[in-house]
Amino acid sequence: MQNPSDPAEQLDRNSGPIDLQDDLEGDTLREECGVFGIFGHPEAAAITALGLHALQHRGQEAAGIVSFDGSRFHSERRLGLVGDTFSRREVIERLPGNAAVGHVRYSTTGATILRNVQPLFAELNAGGFAVGHNGNLTNGLTLRRDFSANTFRRKTARPQSGTRLRRLRIRPASP
């Protein structure tokens, strides 16, 4: 038996021994979703829209921006390309504030519907936050079941970020 610390002999649970050469060849940039944010600028939403436009190649199904004006969150989320929504002045004017986060979607899970468009935001008693992410929760269904007795229901928070928001909301405060 070879040295078990040799990476070439480590087992992949799904497919047996890992072939390092295949792994290195498969280690390429995977462009799925794009996240852009800015803090401390009076035109945060407009700059975020430009950033999302530059990231459009990362996701062409949907785009969204959430801004914060110091007291409340403002959200615009749409199916389609960034330029189809965020190039209009009236849309950017509905996103006031000095902070914004945006997301372009390339789905790896979930249907192409508005409730799966990010970023999402939560307003909590102690404040709030907005989140956009690139990735999957591998145990998302388990987490959703575990939280069912202690969470709020929010019709727009279906993607995995919604599960993350609910988890943060029910976590007890630290002393």
Side-chain angles (χ1 to χ4, degrees), residues 136-144 160 163:
N136 295 316
L137 288 177
T138 57
N139 62 342
L141 292 175
T142 301
L143 290 172
R144 185 175 292 160
Q160 294 173 354
T163 301

Side-chain angles (χ1 to χ4, degrees), residues 49 56 62-65 76-92 94-95:
Q56 183 71 84
I65 297 175
E76 290 287 334
R77 300 176 306 133
R78 300 281 187 271
L79 297 176
L81 301 174
V82 174
D84 293 345
T85 298
F86 296 107
S87 60
R88 296 193 314 268
R89 179 184 298 271
E90 64 271 13
V91 174
I92 297 299
R94 290 194 300 259
L95 296 165

